Amino acid sequence: MSTDDNSQGVAGRRPREEKMKHYGIRALLGAAALATMTAGATPALAEYPVETVRLITHSSPGGGMDVFLREIGKHLGPIMGVNFVVENVTGSGGAAAMAEVVNGAKDGSVFYGATPTHIITSLLSAPPVTYEDLDPVVNFFNDPQTVYVLADSPYNTLNDVVDAAKANPGGVVVAVSTPGSLDRQVMEEFQAVTGTSMVVLTHDGGGDAVLSVLNGTAQVGVSEIAELRGQLDAKAVRILATYTENRVPGIGDVPTAREQGIDLVVSKFRGLVGAKDLPPEVIAAWEDGVAKLMEDPEFRKWYEAEGLENAYMTQAEARVARDEFVTSLKAFFEKFDIK
């Protein structure tokens, strides 16, 4: 892979529109209800057509999207006047979760927390239900990806990992989330860029991947900050690098991969998709509600602490960005002969 400054990896390819520039290549014991807060400072919008909305994720409990949806439900509930329930539908790289939404009611009562995973799975696995059977609703964030190790790991830089992998091909195990996840695909590019060969260990979600690093099954992990927050605060893990253009605030003085000589920039979107042809009033309620949510002081404090970048998009903007992402992803697969 070329290492000039214009090479940013599959997720680093940017749409032309400035507002969309980062849309790139993220329940305990099953389903758990997220009770909406009692009357708060933020007034509710016009009455939503249903009282309870299911937010489906392919992530296992503790995974990035699981954490993300629960936080959204807590803050967005009083704004939209809705009870949000998060359900973990794992398996098949997101295909089972996508099917749950497509086969559900078309009244605004069920949505899927979307990351690049559902598009990657659709293109590589050809499941019965694909991203083309779904429609973007809104986009929320870009979520920085990190490379991390145990606090007492001998690896202090990303190049230490590269050196170890070159000295012992196949000897370094890297934990990632699902087989169709962005982290899994980025590891293919990472190995190509660095000329290394590693064992990439997939899981049902990012939370499970973190456990594999903690118990020593893997020496390195790729994850989002929200999945690592508890372990970072406990000083159980250290972040070696971020796949971002600039350093991420709130996690210490961590250099980017590019600063360490590895030209790989990744941006992982987090959004919401639903069934096609949802009622216009449902889409309008989400666009209005999420626009207000992103300015909520408590919610902003949370997402800024997690290193999340506000990348709010309306449905029309998210559709364009999704299509551009698919084009760049197909080119990535062709370049690295991923089938």
Side-chain angles (χ1 to χ4, degrees):
M1 174 179 173
S2 170
T3 57
D4 59 58
D5 287 342
N6 292 323
S7 175
Q8 295 181 314
V10 61
R13 305 180 196 280
R14 303 260 172 100
R16 290 180 294 276
E17 295 293 335
E18 181 67 16
K19 188 172 184 180
M20 302 176 190
K21 65 179 182 177
H22 292 304
Y23 189 105
I25 335 234
R26 137 301 218 196
L28 290 176
L29 302 179
L34 287 177
T36 57
M37 295 159 54
T38 57
T42 305
L45 302 174
E47 186 175 355
Y48 194 74
V50 297
E51 292 183 358
T52 299
V53 173
R54 301 162 61 211
L55 301 177
I56 307 296
T57 174
H58 62 259
S59 175
S60 59
M65 185 55 78
D66 178 76
V67 173
F68 166 75
L69 290 178
R70 293 177 188 284
E71 198 68 25
I72 281 180
K74 181 170 67 176
H75 292 278
L76 189 58
I79 294 175
M80 292 181 62
V82 170
N83 295 310
F84 288 106
V85 176
V86 175
E87 296 182 15
N88 303 79
V89 181
T90 60
S92 305
M98 286 189 284
E100 186 77 12
V101 175
V102 171
N103 296 327
K106 308 302 188 290
D107 57 359
S109 63
V110 57
F111 295 91
Y112 173 58
T115 65
T117 294
H118 80 294
I119 298 177
I120 295 170
T121 295
S122 297
L123 295 177
L124 294 182
S125 304
V129 172
T130 74
Y131 78 91
E132 294 179 305
D133 298 304
L134 296 160
D135 200 12
V137 177
V138 288
N139 195 61
F140 291 85
F141 296 116
N142 297 312
D143 196 351
Q145 282 204 314
T146 71
V147 182
Y148 65 97
V149 295
L150 285 175
D152 60 357
S153 169
Y155 305 143
N156 293 308
T157 68
L158 201 53
N159 284 302
D160 287 344
V161 178
V162 172
D163 292 343
K166 288 182 175 180
N168 183 18
V172 176
V173 180
V174 182
V176 301
S177 57
T178 64
S181 66
L182 177 61
D183 1 329
R184 176 68 181 86
Q185 302 308 318
V186 167
M187 278 307 303
E188 294 295 335
E189 191 165 1
F190 181 86
Q191 291 175 91
V193 168
T194 59
T196 55
S197 177
M198 307 181 194
V199 176
V200 181
L201 184 63
T202 61
H203 300 76
D204 280 338
D208 295 330
V210 174
L211 289 177
S212 284
V213 174
L214 292 174
N215 65 27
T217 302
Q219 292 81 52
V220 181
V222 179
S223 187
E224 291 81 49
I225 296 168
E227 294 170 335
L228 296 176
R229 177 54 66 190
Q231 304 305 327
L232 287 172
D233 291 346
K235 302 187 184 305
V237 301
R238 290 184 286 112
I239 297 178
L240 299 183
T242 61
Y243 287 128
T244 53
E245 284 195 348
N246 303 303
R247 296 193 180 193
V248 177
I251 58 172
D253 194 23
V254 178
T256 68
R258 181 173 280 173
E259 286 181 290
Q260 298 180 60
I262 299 170
D263 192 27
L264 192 56
V265 175
V266 176
S267 184
K268 180 174 184 175
F269 66 83
R270 290 197 182 276
L272 205 73
V273 301
K276 288 186 173 182
D277 300 320
L278 289 174
E281 61 269 23
V282 167
I283 301 302
W286 275 97
E287 290 179 339
D288 195 11
V290 174
K292 289 180 171 61
L293 172 69
M294 301 306 286
E295 300 305 319
D296 177 82
E298 287 191 19
F299 188 65
R300 177 184 287 184
K301 181 179 179 181
W302 172 76
Y303 72 71
E304 288 181 348
E306 299 304 323
L308 294 166
E309 180 183 4
N310 183 339
Y312 169 70
M313 292 184 197
T314 64
Q315 182 180 69
E317 292 168 333
R319 282 171 173 165
V320 173
R322 188 272 309 272
D323 292 343
E324 292 198 11
F325 172 68
V326 170
T327 298
S328 69
L329 186 60
K330 288 178 178 177
F332 169 77
F333 289 157
E334 181 177 356
K335 180 175 182 177
F336 290 96
D337 194 30
I338 297 174
K339 298 182 176 61

